[in-house]
Every structure is written in C-alpha cells, then in structure tokens.
C-alpha cells in the first residue's frame, strides 16, 4: 500500500508541476484525443539528428494523462531515437499488463518516474489516458521521420 501511495504522489507532482508544458518550435506536431473521456493533447517534437531535442505539449484532461505527458518529456528529451523507442515500448508493455506486471529494478531503471503508472494498468479506461501522450509522440516522430527531419 505504501508503494501505491508513493506512486500517486509522483503522478500528482507531475500533474501540478509539469515538465515540457507549453508548445515550442518543433519538427512535427500532432493532436490526439481520447474520445472515451475527452482528454486531449497537442504535442510537438524537435530532433537534432537522432537526438530528441525537445518534446513540448499543451493539453487538458485528467491528472493521469497530463502527468504522463510530463513524465514523457522528462524521460525522452536528450535521448537518442532508439533509446526513446525502447522506453516507449517498455512503458507500453507495463500499461498493457493489466496490473500483472510488477516493475523490477531493470524496468524501474528504464522507466524512472513512469513506473508510477503501474497501478493504472489495472484500469483499462485509464490506460488510454496514460498512453495518450506516448501515442502522440510516436505519431509525431513518424511524421518527423517521413519528412526527413531526423538524421
């Protein structure tokens, strides 16, 4: 129970003190909406070669969707594209686990604050909230790659 409480604090802290909020210049922009609950995000990504130079966003919605966008920014900015994809895939695996995957030390090392969303995976409706910004990042990256914005 103490771990769940700590995870809730991490999510609330990212919600109250978001990282990357406010749209800045980017190589690609996407807008995603979760029709189930109305959460939405506009996300921009900027690359310098293969390195993610910035991820910025504006959005509205529940604490889970907004905190997840903040965590995404904190985790991915400064990372090489391949490393960022590994982080995204690990987060997706955690979110699709339906609460059956207990984060171990290796997963915590990859996901850092994102392990706080482990409890969210038990609630299918909330998984979409947590994944909203991650799917937006994936689409924005695909757009940047198709337009030759990365090396």
């Amino acid at each position: 129970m103490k771990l769940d409480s700590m995870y809730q604090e991490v999510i609330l802290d990212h919600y109250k003190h978001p990282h990357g909020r406010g749209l800045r210049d980017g190589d690609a922009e996407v807008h995603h909406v979760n029709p189930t609950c109305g959460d939405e995000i506009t996300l921009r990504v900027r690359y310098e070669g293969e390195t993610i130079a910035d991820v910025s966003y504006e959005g509205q919605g529940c604490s889970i969707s907004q905190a997840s966008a903040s965590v995404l920014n904190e985790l991915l900015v400064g990372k090489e594209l391949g490393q960022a994809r590994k982080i995204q895939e690990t987060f997706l695996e955690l979110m699709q686990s339906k609460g059956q995957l207990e984060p171990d030390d290796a997963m915590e090392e990859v996901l850092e604050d994102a392990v706080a969303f482990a409890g969210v995976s038990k609630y299918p409706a909330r998984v979409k909230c947590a994944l909203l910004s991650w799917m937006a990042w994936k689409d924005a990256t695909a757009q940047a790659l198709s337009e030759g914005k990365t090396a």
Side-chain angles (χ1 to χ4, degrees), residues 76-95:
L76 300 189
V77 171
K79 300 287 193 301
E80 296 290 317
L81 181 55
Q83 188 179 12
R85 283 186 170 144
K86 179 178 176 11
I87 294 167
Q88 188 266 338
E89 289 165 5
T90 304
F91 186 71
L92 183 61
E93 178 186 3
L94 179 65
M95 289 295 93

Side-chain angles (χ1 to χ4, degrees), residues 131-147:
L131 288 175
L132 184 65
S133 59
W134 294 83
M135 296 301 109
W137 173 78
K138 188 176 177 182
D139 287 352
T141 294
Q143 183 181 325
L145 287 169
S146 73
E147 295 173 3

Side-chain angles (χ1 to χ4, degrees), residues 92-109:
L92 183 61
E93 178 186 3
L94 179 65
M95 289 295 93
Q96 292 177 336
S97 74
K98 298 180 179 166
Q100 301 303 307
L101 184 60
E102 194 65 39
D104 59 12
D105 289 344
M107 183 175 275
E108 286 185 24
E109 188 174 316

Side-chain angles (χ1 to χ4, degrees), residues 5-142:
S5 177
M6 184 186 77
Y7 284 168
Q8 288 174 358
E9 285 182 36
V10 169
I11 291 171
L12 284 175
D13 186 56
H14 274 278
Y15 178 68
K16 292 176 183 174
H17 310 284
H19 300 249
R21 189 170 189 83
L23 290 173
R24 296 177 290 280
D25 288 340
D27 296 322
E29 176 181 304
V30 297
H31 181 78
H32 280 213
V33 176
N34 179 351
T36 310
C37 63
D39 290 355
E40 59 182 277
I41 189 166
T42 300
L43 184 139
R44 289 182 186 161
V45 64
R46 184 170 53 85
Y47 284 89
E48 289 176 3
E50 286 284 317
T51 302
I52 301 169
D54 193 27
V55 177
S56 62
Y57 67 94
E58 275 299 329
Q60 59 185 23
C62 68
S63 60
I64 292 169
S65 72
Q66 299 305 295
S68 187
S70 174
V71 168
L72 177 144
N73 169 277
E74 187 176 84
L75 280 175
L76 300 189
V77 171
K79 300 287 193 301
E80 296 290 317
L81 181 55
Q83 188 179 12
R85 283 186 170 144
K86 179 178 176 11
I87 294 167
Q88 188 266 338
E89 289 165 5
T90 304
F91 186 71
L92 183 61
E93 178 186 3
L94 179 65
M95 289 295 93
Q96 292 177 336
S97 74
K98 298 180 179 166
Q100 301 303 307
L101 184 60
E102 194 65 39
D104 59 12
D105 289 344
M107 183 175 275
E108 286 185 24
E109 188 174 316
V110 171
L111 293 179
E112 299 175 21
D113 278 357
V115 298
F117 294 89
V120 172
S121 70
K122 298 173 190 170
Y123 307 99
R126 294 315 207 169
V127 167
K128 289 181 180 182
C129 301
L131 288 175
L132 184 65
S133 59
W134 294 83
M135 296 301 109
W137 173 78
K138 188 176 177 182
D139 287 352
T141 294

